[in-house]
Amino acid sequence: MLSAALFCLVVAISDGDTLKLRCGEAGAFRQLTVRLHAIDAPELSQPFGRRARQALSQIAYRKTARLDCEDDEDRYHRRVCRVKVAPNSCTEAHCAKTLDAGLAMLTVGMAWWSRAYADEQSPTERGQYAFAEFEARGKRAGLWADRRPVPPWTWRAAHPRTR
C-alpha cells in the first residue's frame, strides 16, 4: 500500500539504489533514507558499485524528488519508494517530476530489476522495467558490459558483512 506523496530534496547518494533526502519545511527538516522500489544495484564493494552510485547521483542528486513510499521499511530501516525527479534536460525552475529514478538506473544498465517485487508494480510499470533491463542487456550498457555480471543478492551472500 502506498502512502501520500512526499516532496524532498536529495542530499546524498549512498549507493546505486539508496538516497538520503531532506523533507519538510525550513527549521523542521527531517532526514529520510530511501531505497528505490523494485531495483537492486551493485554493492559499492563489487564491480560497477561505485559507477552505479555515480549514475544515481547524475539522475537525482540535489534535485527535488517526489516520493511515493510503501507503508513499511526494509530490513535496514529504509523507506522503500518510487522516486521521481525532473529530467536533466529540463532547464525550467519548476520542472515536472517525470523521471522514474529506478527505471532510469535500469535504462543505463546500472541495476537489476527485482522481479520479486513485480506483483507490487502495475502491469505498465512491470513492462517498462522488464523492457529497460532487456534493452540494457542487449546493448551491453553499464554492468551488462561484464561477461558475467554478479547480481547484488549473490554478491551479498558471498561477501557477508554486518550493518
Side-chain angles (χ1 to χ4, degrees), residues 61-139:
Y61 183 61
R62 296 185 61 154
K63 290 185 179 181
T64 299
R66 176 192 165 112
L67 309 179
D68 292 302
C69 301
E70 304 292 328
D71 286 331
D72 53 351
E73 297 178 337
D74 71 2
R75 65 181 175 203
Y76 302 113
H77 307 291
R78 300 174 295 191
R79 296 288 303 271
V80 178
C81 305
R82 288 167 177 83
V83 176
K84 290 196 173 184
V85 296
N88 288 336
S89 61
C90 182
T91 58
E92 302 297 317
H94 298 286
C95 296
K97 314 300 181 248
T98 58
L99 180 67
D100 177 332
L103 182 59
M105 288 296 288
L106 292 171
T107 300
V108 296
M110 286 296 155
W112 279 258
W113 173 39
S114 295
R115 286 163 179 79
Y117 299 97
D119 62 333
E120 297 175 12
Q121 294 179 293
S122 70
T124 299
E125 192 177 40
R126 278 194 302 272
Q128 291 171 331
Y129 277 52
F131 184 75
E133 183 181 283
F134 177 81
E135 283 287 297
R137 283 178 187 244
K139 293 177 182 175

Side-chain angles (χ1 to χ4, degrees), residues 17 35 39-49 109-115 133 137 143-144 146-159:
D17 55 29
R35 172 108 169 28
I39 70 162
D40 202 355
E43 297 294 321
L44 288 175
S45 58
Q46 84 177 92
F48 294 93
M110 286 296 155
W112 279 258
W113 173 39
S114 295
R115 286 163 179 79
E133 183 181 283
R137 283 178 187 244
L143 62 87
W144 303 111
D146 193 329
R147 288 197 184 275
R148 292 193 175 145
V150 177
W153 52 91
T154 303
W155 179 269
R156 287 189 293 267
H159 301 87

Side-chain angles (χ1 to χ4, degrees), residues 21-38:
L21 301 104
R22 186 177 66 201
C23 306
E25 299 298 321
F29 291 122
R30 68 182 172 116
Q31 186 158 310
L32 187 64
T33 301
V34 168
R35 172 108 169 28
L36 293 176
H37 173 75

